Amino acid sequence: MADNLRWRDSRLSTAERVAALVDAMTVEEKLAQLGSFWPPGTDAGGGEVAPMESAMRGGPATLDEAAAHGLGHLTRPFGTQPVRPRDGAARLEAVQRRIVADTRLGIPAIAHEECLTGFTTLGATVYPTPLAWAATFDPDLIETMGARIGADMRAVGVHQGLAPVLDVVRDYRWGRVEETMGEDPYLVATTGTAYVRGLEGAGIIATLKHFAGYSASRAARNHAPVSMGPREFADIVLPPFEMAVRLGGARSVMNAYTDVDGVPAAANRELLTGILRERWGFTGTVVSDYWSVAFLDLMHRVSADRADSGVQAIRAGIDVELPSGDAYLRLAAKVAAGDLAESTIDTAVRRVLTHKCELGLLDAEPRLGAPDPDRDLDSAANRALATTVAEESIVLCANDGTLPLPGDTRRIALIGPTADDPRTLLGCYSFPNHVLSRLAGNEIGVDVPSLLDALRAELPAADIVVEPGVPISDPDRSGIEPAVAAAEAADVCVLAVGDLANLFGRGTSGEGCDVPDVALPGIQADLVEAVLATGTPTILVVVSGRPYALGDFAERCAAVVQAFLPGETGGAAIAGVLSGRVSPSGHLPVGIPRQPGGMPITYLAPPLGRDSHGVSNIDPSALYPFGHGLAYTTFAYGDLGLDADTIPATGQVRASLTVTNTGPRPGTATAQLYLSDEVAHVTRPVRALAGFARVDLEPGEARTVTFTVHADRTSFTGADLTRVIEPGWFTLAAGGSSEDLPATARFAITGRATITPGRQVLTTPASLGT
């Protein structure tokens, strides 16, 4: 084989093939591999699907222009317009063949797609939102779901998925709370890492986003500056990314739009190279969030022009400019002028080509076609899995005994704006809400039974009268009177309130749908008050993408059920919980606030960040705290026993407790273990989740849960910004939520240690015994 084609030789190592190819490339060909192209049609319908989309359009307008010297990525070939799997696969293959045929080197592109609630394309299963994944406290289930989503994407020719979101919630007002996995970094890390393993195991390159700090934007405004110190950044924001890189095997990372203390992530070399690569050993690609390189000159104003933005981004460590090549295509002149070393471009190109080699795209006969273009993207197996995730995610917050509904319940008033609207069950990155909502008509593309449909199927003998009452967000009060009349005539009322997810202000939850407080949208609270005033037992069902303040009326409700946008089978999951067919087992990944103001608040705070007993007149305590979740049975937690009361700074302690089902029904307890550092040289959270385990129990059954807590799990970032383990006493507490912890025990660490970057023990394994 000729030297200039050695990169086609699959007998050579990946590194040898990539090196041979880089040596054969011109600067223009290298830069082409660091860009993408968004096929025509992204502006179809009304509204944008990416921030400031119309203002940011730049670079080549046609595929021929974009791929003149080759092409790194293809942006959302399935997720831009409605296209059936076979047609989309055929179109993608045709584009790939054009790229191969019309370029000197003939290297296909990497096709990437969104997959936050499943494969974002027409007719694909819409799974629950990531916030619902976290509510399951079941990483194994989420890994299974990730593998199923990855297999569907790979079947039609997609290579990379732009998920998961590993942002830790810092302010419930932020629109993208629904895309996160909650407010605790350990829950986010374990759930997100499981999803990464699922995608990567299916052959899809998982992309961690948004690196890093995005969810802590000032006043919860999308893209607003992040005011955060380096210790909070290191101990709250970074851990999920580290776990997903080190333990999940994620091969790509996407930068955040925001700046932290004035330094935009897209230009932050310490973040994108120092922490990510040098500290954690990441070897994959960093891709820009859409147009975030252009943001450096247009929005952050830290560069003079687009080419300078490209220089800053590539030097910081961004390898690929998405969604289309623009700034990076201007870098050839910078190289020629001596303003940018070609070796910097080579480093980025090697990473992109490594992925392409792993995907078979550098082979003599590259893999261009879809393995299974006729794949059913919403198969019965998919829907069954989506149902399991939805059922495990539903949280029973309160119950006076009204639930489950008796089998002889005859007259049910189903009231509220989320009662009979299928879209209210779906997240903002679902294809129906993300794309189809911008087009004419009411097409959803998959079967999504509404809560009304599901409740009628669940309780066929009941007379169910439905009244929307009020719109999601419009101040139309004309429906309140008929809603009240329906409630007065019923034996029980199911009052369904919450969100309709969309983008950039077109919804009440989702990207760019931030809120000034966490009151229910529109005049939904007025509807709740009017219905409660009837005296009819009322079950409040909140179907939402963020937690809303329920303190003004929760105590007057017969029951409160929280569903975090539970997906296409979410209506049936909620109905199953109401009827008792499904035993509720979800737990809150975010607290439910009492009052709408006083944000931001999360449970993960030092003493003065919580109820300060007279220091402030604002009590930030949650109505229903992080980790809370009831069942239709009861659980008792025995004493917490430790196998040692003193360990060295390199040691570990085993903590065991017995969980017993003390009620009349089968149920699933989620045993949660929290860690408190009694004295530290900097302020520490009162408690933080250290481990958890789901425990299935029959009535009267007891099982032992054992957690193995390494001393590394007590470490934190000290005043000198190094991660340390300090000597002293620690409290472990176990129970059913962050505020229901009947079992406690103390242990001491002797000696001090500094954590070696990239070597820290990140998990607390849990095992179940009899």
Side-chain angles (χ1 to χ4, degrees), residues 47 91 96 126 129 191 281 322 380 467 505 562 631 647 700:
R91 184 185 303 172
Q96 295 279 36
V126 181
T129 57
T191 309
L322 300 181
E467 290 287 348
Q562 174 68 57
I647 62 172

Side-chain angles (χ1 to χ4, degrees), residues 284-660:
T285 58
V286 176
V287 300
S288 77
D289 207 340
Y290 287 10
W291 293 297
S292 62
V293 176
F295 266 48
L296 293 176
D297 56 271
L298 285 177
M299 304 302 295
H300 292 296
R301 298 198 295 184
V302 296
S303 69
D305 54 39
R306 192 61 45 81
D308 184 41
S309 295
V311 170
Q312 291 194 36
I314 200 167
R315 281 178 175 166
I318 291 181
D319 302 306
V320 181
E321 182 184 15
L322 300 181
S324 297
D326 183 9
Y328 281 14
L329 298 180
R330 306 169 193 238
L331 294 182
K334 292 290 187 179
V335 172
D339 297 330
L340 177 66
E342 187 173 350
S343 60
T344 301
I345 296 172
D346 290 349
T347 298
V349 171
R350 280 194 295 270
R351 294 167 183 157
V352 174
L353 295 178
T354 296
H355 282 172
K356 292 194 174 188
C357 190
E358 293 167 348
L359 293 166
L361 300 180
L362 300 188
D363 292 351
E365 295 184 6
R367 305 165 194 170
L368 302 179
D372 184 8
D374 292 317
R375 188 180 183 93
D376 182 356
L377 299 181
D378 191 32
S379 65
N382 281 13
R383 293 183 69 86
L385 180 57
T387 298
T388 300
V389 177
E391 289 176 350
E392 288 194 12
S393 76
I394 306 300
V395 183
L396 179 62
C397 295
N399 184 23
D400 67 0
T402 298
L403 291 179
L405 292 173
D408 60 356
T409 303
R410 287 292 176 262
R411 296 177 301 170
I412 300 175
L414 178 57
I415 293 170
T418 65
D420 193 27
D421 185 347
R423 290 183 190 270
T424 62
L425 299 168
L426 313 179
C428 79
Y429 267 80
S430 67
F431 195 79
N433 285 347
H434 197 72
V435 176
L436 292 179
S437 65
R438 300 182 299 122
L439 308 177
N442 296 310
E443 175 68 22
I444 293 181
V446 288
D447 181 23
V448 186
S450 69
L451 179 55
L452 173 63
D453 298 330
L455 200 57
R456 283 178 170 162
E458 190 77 31
L459 302 170
D463 178 17
I464 302 175
V465 176
V466 64
E467 290 287 348
V470 298
I472 291 286
S473 57
D474 293 340
D476 181 357
R477 310 181 66 86
S478 61
I480 293 180
E481 184 176 342
V484 167
E488 289 174 334
D491 298 322
V492 66
C493 175
V494 176
L495 180 52
V497 297
D499 282 321
L500 176 59
N502 211 296
L503 300 165
F504 308 117
R506 300 193 298 273
T508 56
S509 175
E511 185 174 1
C513 297
D514 315 310
V515 293
D517 58 41
V518 290
L520 285 170
I523 57 172
Q524 293 184 51
D526 293 348
L527 174 66
V528 175
E529 291 288 1
V531 170
L532 289 175
T534 66
T536 300
T538 298
I539 301 157
L540 184 65
V541 177
V542 185
V543 184
S544 65
R546 66 165 59 83
Y548 284 110
L550 306 179
D552 287 346
F553 29 74
E555 291 185 359
R556 290 175 285 152
C557 296
V560 177
V561 175
Q562 174 68 57
F564 291 112
L565 304 180
E568 65 179 36
T569 60
I574 296 169
V577 167
L578 298 182
S579 73
R581 175 179 56 81
V582 174
S583 178
S585 64
H587 287 258
L588 292 173
V590 287
I592 302 292
R594 292 183 184 276
Q595 300 299 329
M599 297 292 120
I601 54 168
T602 70
Y603 96 99
L604 208 62
L608 287 174
R610 295 164 70 92
D611 184 11
S612 5
H613 303 292
V615 174
S616 171
N617 63 321
I618 297 177
D619 179 1
S621 301
L623 173 66
Y624 305 119
F626 173 86
H628 173 74
L630 303 178
Y632 290 146
T633 187
T634 53
F635 303 104
Y637 294 87
D639 293 338
L640 187 63
L642 305 184
D643 69 346
D645 57 12
T646 303
I647 62 172
T650 56
Q652 62 186 29
V653 61
R654 288 165 59 88
S656 300
L657 79 159
T658 299
V659 185
T660 305

